[in-house]
Amino acid sequence: MMSLNELWFVLIAVLFIGFFFLEGFDFGVGMETQILAKNDTERRILINSIGPFWDGNEVWLITAAGAMFAAFPEWYATLFSGFYIPFVFALLALIARGVAFEFRGKRDSVAWKKTWDVCIFFGSFLPPFLLAVVFASFIKGLPIDGDMQMYASFTDIVNVYTVVAGVTVVLLCLVHGLMFTTLRTVGDLQARARKMAQRLLLPLGALLLAFVVMTYYMTDIFEQRGLVLMIIVALGIIAFILSGYFMTKKKDGYAFGMTGAVIALSVTSIFVGLFPRVMISSIDQAFNLTITNAASGHYSLKVMTIVALTILPFVLGYQIWSYFVFHKRVHEKEHLEY
């Protein structure tokens, strides 16, 4: 049977998968406000398309961090102390983005709106980039000593491998967001979103392929979980090809599902490659943080499991209900509050 340590590792992985899938299209739409939108009306339509969802989607990240803190405190401590600066920038970007959504429509001033629009763009670009850099560093390995302390230099975190991961995730979120826009808008904006997504597929495919090849040669996760990862990569390729096929057929819902599947499979591959490790030491394999040496006590994990299983169905039910209530497309003639 699955141990509680393994169960919480899986639950944290699921939370991060949910975050990147859901917040991924939010980030994409946020970037679209500067890349796709031609005027203020289209920017307001794009922002309104994610208005009911973006704050709820961010809860997945908060919950994942909270679960990590409670279930694997040593992982949490090493991670957040070692990546303090990237996380501060990501948090500031998320705060600026949230404030911008609420404030940009409070004054009828071009300069005022442009300022907040810049915050929305960078608040949508920086978090996925920085989080991808962090996750890529996980699987590449970091200088962690026997006391579970991480002493990483700038190049340990920011290097060719992690930057490629960051750019890939940003572009993947943009394509995912474009497909969400096709589901939530109509007319010319919808058509341009679909066309831009199709144009970005080729560079996105090249980046995904490059990252997989670099991962094969620059990390040990294929040595650890080669067969499973090969299956995940194959499924990812199929999902990617199908996303392009559905785009050409204007089956936007299926295309959105396939871009989401690529995101979900990408995050899954990281956790599969790590298991049973949670952070890899580049100094000595004996210093790896694992689901055993980084975990809370058995009683704490047991209580957390009972609470999670009790509350989780209500949380998921509420979020599914909110998506159902706000599923209609956003039209230009409707009241635009942002």
Side-chain angles (χ1 to χ4, degrees), residues 27 37 58 98 101 105 114 142 164 172 178 202-203 219 222 254 261 271 278 315 320:
F27 289 144
E58 288 184 3
F101 284 147
K114 283 185 176 180
L142 293 156
V164 169
L172 181 55
L178 287 165
L202 184 59
T219 75
F222 278 91
Y254 290 114
F271 283 91
V278 293
V315 176
I320 292 170

Side-chain angles (χ1 to χ4, degrees), residues 137-153:
S137 300
F138 275 11
I139 57 178
K140 189 174 184 295
L142 293 156
I144 302 172
D145 64 18
D147 295 322
M148 300 186 183
Q149 297 293 321
M150 190 178 105
Y151 300 97
S153 65

Side-chain angles (χ1 to χ4, degrees), residues 122-312:
F122 284 102
S124 301
F125 170 84
L126 281 178
F129 178 82
L130 292 173
L131 290 173
V133 167
V134 170
F135 274 94
S137 300
F138 275 11
I139 57 178
K140 189 174 184 295
L142 293 156
I144 302 172
D145 64 18
D147 295 322
M148 300 186 183
Q149 297 293 321
M150 190 178 105
Y151 300 97
S153 65
F154 179 80
T155 55
D156 287 321
I157 299 174
V158 181
N159 48 66
V160 174
Y161 180 70
T162 59
V163 169
V164 169
V167 174
T168 303
V169 170
V170 167
L171 191 56
L172 181 55
C173 287
L174 178 56
V175 172
H176 192 45
L178 287 165
M179 294 318 303
F180 182 77
T181 298
T182 64
L183 296 176
R184 293 280 287 160
T185 61
V186 296
D188 181 61
L189 184 61
Q190 179 193 46
R192 283 190 282 116
R194 188 185 300 113
K195 187 176 181 179
M196 180 176 286
Q198 290 175 301
R199 289 202 307 264
L200 291 175
L201 275 182
L202 184 59
L204 175 59
L207 282 170
L208 286 168
L209 178 61
F211 182 69
V212 170
V213 173
M214 293 173 73
T215 300
Y216 182 85
Y217 287 105
M218 300 177 71
T219 75
D220 70 347
I221 66 172
F222 278 91
E223 295 177 13
Q224 300 290 325
R225 296 284 184 271
L227 178 60
V228 178
L229 287 177
M230 287 297 183
I231 294 173
I232 293 174
V233 170
L235 291 174
I237 293 172
I238 294 171
F240 184 82
I241 294 172
L242 285 175
S243 69
Y245 171 78
F246 289 132
M247 286 178 197
T248 59
K249 298 297 182 180
K250 297 184 179 181
K251 295 183 177 181
D252 300 323
Y254 290 114
F256 174 75
M258 290 301 101
T259 56
V262 174
I263 292 176
L265 289 167
S266 299
V267 179
T268 300
S269 66
I270 292 174
F271 283 91
V272 168
L274 280 174
F275 184 81
R277 305 165 296 181
V278 293
M279 292 186 77
I280 300 171
S281 172
S282 59
I283 299 174
D284 192 323
Q285 292 295 310
F287 300 154
N288 289 342
L289 273 67
T290 68
I291 62 171
T292 302
N293 65 15
S296 293
H298 178 79
Y299 180 76
S300 297
L301 294 175
K302 183 178 179 180
V303 172
M304 288 170 55
T305 303
I306 295 172
V307 173
L309 292 178
T310 303
I311 297 176
L312 189 60

Side-chain angles (χ1 to χ4, degrees), residues 75-93:
W75 183 12
Y76 179 92
T78 303
L79 171 65
F80 281 84
S81 61
F83 288 101
Y84 183 81
I85 293 177
F87 281 140
V88 165
F89 278 103
L91 181 60
L92 290 175

